[in-house]
């Protein structure tokens, strides 16, 4: 063992064994599936979809090779493409697809790589979109039949992708829109229609407001006329009742009635701030001033001399007496 040549040989053997073990061992992850190729021929498929056997595996060093594929759902974002619908409407459609590799052997034999698979799937999807949407109207695509159309497109793409060992999990149109120039024309037309509708509504509102104001003005005139008529009727009835009551009072006590009328005359004649009366002291107007019983003085006239109000205190009456 102390011979350097033997020690070197053992080290080389150990290195060769270690390299051989390293070259013959590989692992397959939980989210991976693998193909074992022997000189380019597929020898085994490990942990495919539907099985769950990840772990450590062995291969023949230097003759076997391992190709790993993803078991997870993969994304495919499709570019925006213009389409022509059954009613001759141009649309721009943006879609995406979700798929997974269900048969790694077919996938390896048909496309081999994810990049090439994405190209083939994009071609299948675009073709299916054009074929299906070209037989459908714009309203059906945008609103009424969108889910049914997507299911039809997904089934069509799945039939073609099955030969690639791929299964389409989901396929959706994310955006369906008019081209920019068409969108602007539609927007302008919608704006014009909304303005026209607003003008019609505003005109109808003005007409209704005019009718309501005219009706209200007419009702005001009618109500005021009826109120004035009622007022005059009530005033006339009140005056009649007043005259009747006064006549009845005069008939019951003429002296009290004369006293009451004189008091009213005094109140009306003397209520001003600067009123002057020029009357005879012996006139009937001052009969209750001279005598509380209202007896006329000797030589007094029977007719009451009405007061004359003036700012300067003058009158054409021959007898002058000032009362302030």
């Amino acid at each position: 063992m102390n011979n350097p040549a033997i020690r070197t040989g053992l080290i080389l053997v150990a290195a060769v064994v270690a390299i051989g073990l390293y070259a013959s061992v590989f692992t397959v992850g939980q989210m991976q599936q693998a193909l074992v190729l022997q000189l380019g021929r597929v020898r085994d498929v490990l942990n495919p979809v539907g099985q769950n056997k990840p772990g450590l595996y062995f291969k023949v060093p230097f003759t076997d090779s391992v190709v790993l594929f993803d078991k997870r759902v993969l994304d495919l974002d499709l570019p925006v493409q213009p389409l022509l619908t059954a009613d001759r409407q141009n649309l721009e459609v943006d879609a995406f697809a979700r798929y997974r590799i269900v048969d790694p052997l077919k996938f390896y034999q048909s496309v081999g790589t994810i990049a090439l698979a994405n190209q083939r799937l994009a071609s299948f999807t675009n073709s299916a979109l054009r074929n299906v949407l070209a037989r459908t109207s714009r309203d059906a695509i945008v609103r009424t039949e969108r889910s049914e159309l997507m299911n039809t497109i997904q089934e069509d793409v799945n039939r073609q992708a099955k030969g690639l060992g791929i299964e389409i999990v989901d396929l959706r149109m994310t955006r369906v829109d008019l081209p920019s120039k068409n969108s602007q024309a539609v927007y302008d037309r919608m704006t014009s229609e909304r303005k026209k509708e607003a003008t019609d509504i505003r005109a109808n509102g003005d007409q209704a407001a005019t009718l309501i104001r005219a009706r209200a003005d007419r009702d005001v005139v009618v109500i005021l006329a009826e109120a004035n008529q009622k007022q005059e009727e009530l005033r006339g009835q009140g005056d009649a009742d007043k005259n009747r009551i006064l006549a009845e009072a005069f008939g019951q006590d003429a002296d009290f009635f004369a006293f009451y009328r004189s008091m009213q005359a005094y109140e009306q004649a003397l209520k001003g701030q600067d009123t002057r009366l020029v009357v005879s002291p012996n006139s009937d107007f001052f009969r209750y001033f001279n005598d509380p019983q209202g007896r006329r003085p000797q030589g007094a006239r029977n007719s009451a001399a009405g007061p004359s109000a003036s700012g300067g205190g003058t009158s054409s009456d021959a007898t002058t007496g000032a009362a302030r």
Side-chain angles (χ1 to χ4, degrees):
M1 295 297 294
N2 293 329
N3 192 338
I6 297 175
R7 189 164 52 251
T8 302
L10 292 176
I11 293 173
L12 291 175
V13 171
V16 170
V17 171
I19 293 173
L21 288 175
Y22 180 78
S24 61
V25 175
F26 66 95
T27 59
V28 179
Q30 185 76 24
M31 297 301 173
Q32 292 177 326
Q33 49 190 335
L35 291 178
V36 180
L37 306 177
Q38 188 175 47
L39 300 177
R41 180 179 60 86
V42 177
R43 183 174 63 84
D44 199 1
V45 179
L46 303 177
N47 197 32
V49 174
Q51 298 182 13
N52 189 19
K53 295 181 180 180
L56 184 66
Y57 290 91
F58 294 92
K59 64 177 180 176
V60 178
F62 309 113
T63 59
D64 291 352
S65 59
V66 178
V67 180
L68 297 175
F69 298 107
D70 207 327
K71 289 179 68 175
R72 295 172 295 183
V73 175
L74 303 176
D75 298 334
L76 174 62
D77 291 327
L78 301 173
V80 178
Q81 60 173 329
L83 298 175
L84 186 64
T85 63
D87 51 356
R88 313 300 295 176
Q89 296 291 326
N90 289 317
L91 295 178
E92 291 183 349
V93 179
D94 188 6
F96 73 90
R98 301 289 182 266
Y99 71 93
R100 60 187 173 189
I101 302 171
V102 295
D103 190 339
L105 179 57
K106 277 187 179 181
F107 183 84
Y108 177 75
Q109 292 174 342
S110 57
V111 290
T113 63
I114 299 295
L116 185 57
N118 286 342
Q119 294 180 7
R120 297 288 297 277
L121 283 179
S123 176
F124 295 160
T125 305
N126 291 336
S127 176
L129 283 171
R130 291 181 180 277
N131 292 335
V132 174
L133 299 185
R135 302 191 300 266
T136 313
S137 65
R138 182 189 63 182
D139 290 341
I141 296 172
V142 176
R143 294 183 299 176
T144 58
E145 302 177 10
R146 187 161 181 168
S147 299
E148 293 81 358
L149 292 173
M150 294 314 305
N151 292 333
T152 302
I153 295 171
Q154 182 173 339
E155 292 174 0
D156 191 3
V157 175
N158 254 329
R159 282 194 298 269
Q160 301 179 68
K162 188 175 181 180
L164 305 180
I166 294 173
E167 177 188 13
I168 303 298
V169 178
D170 190 19
L171 196 152
R172 289 286 181 269
M173 289 185 293
T174 57
R175 184 176 65 89
V176 179
D177 203 353
L178 294 171
S180 56
K181 58 180 181 180
N182 293 6
S183 298
Q184 185 62 39
V186 171
Y187 175 78
D188 294 340
R189 186 177 70 250
M190 292 176 63
T191 302
S192 177
E193 291 175 354
R194 296 292 83 77
K195 288 182 178 179
K196 180 180 178 182
E197 184 178 356
T199 301
D200 293 340
I201 293 173
R202 190 176 291 109
N204 293 334
D206 292 340
Q207 180 181 4
T210 302
L211 293 176
I212 292 172
R213 291 192 188 96
R215 191 179 299 113
D217 293 340
R218 183 194 63 187
D219 293 343
V220 168
V221 173
V222 172
I223 292 172
L224 290 176
E226 292 176 351
N228 291 331
Q229 180 182 0
K230 187 67 174 178
Q231 174 187 349
E232 294 299 329
E233 291 176 356
L234 293 176
R235 182 178 288 111
Q237 183 180 356
D239 291 340
D241 292 341
K242 171 186 175 183
N243 294 331
R244 179 180 55 79
I245 294 171
L246 290 176
E248 292 176 356
F250 180 78
Q252 294 178 3
D253 191 344
D255 292 336
F256 175 77
F257 183 77
F259 173 76
Y260 176 72
R261 294 288 289 178
S262 296
M263 293 299 105
Q264 285 185 327
Y266 296 155
E267 180 182 3
Q268 293 297 325
L270 302 176
K271 67 180 180 179
Q273 297 293 329
D274 189 18
T275 302
R276 298 179 181 182
L277 301 177
V278 181
V279 295
S280 172
N282 296 326
S283 67
D284 276 352
F285 184 72
F286 288 116
R287 58 186 290 194
Y288 288 98
F289 271 51
N290 299 325
D291 187 350
Q293 299 299 325
R295 291 187 292 268
R296 293 182 178 86
Q298 295 296 330
R301 290 178 301 175
N302 291 331
S303 59
S308 175
S310 64
T314 62
S315 175
S316 61
D317 198 326
T319 306
T320 60
R324 188 160 177 112

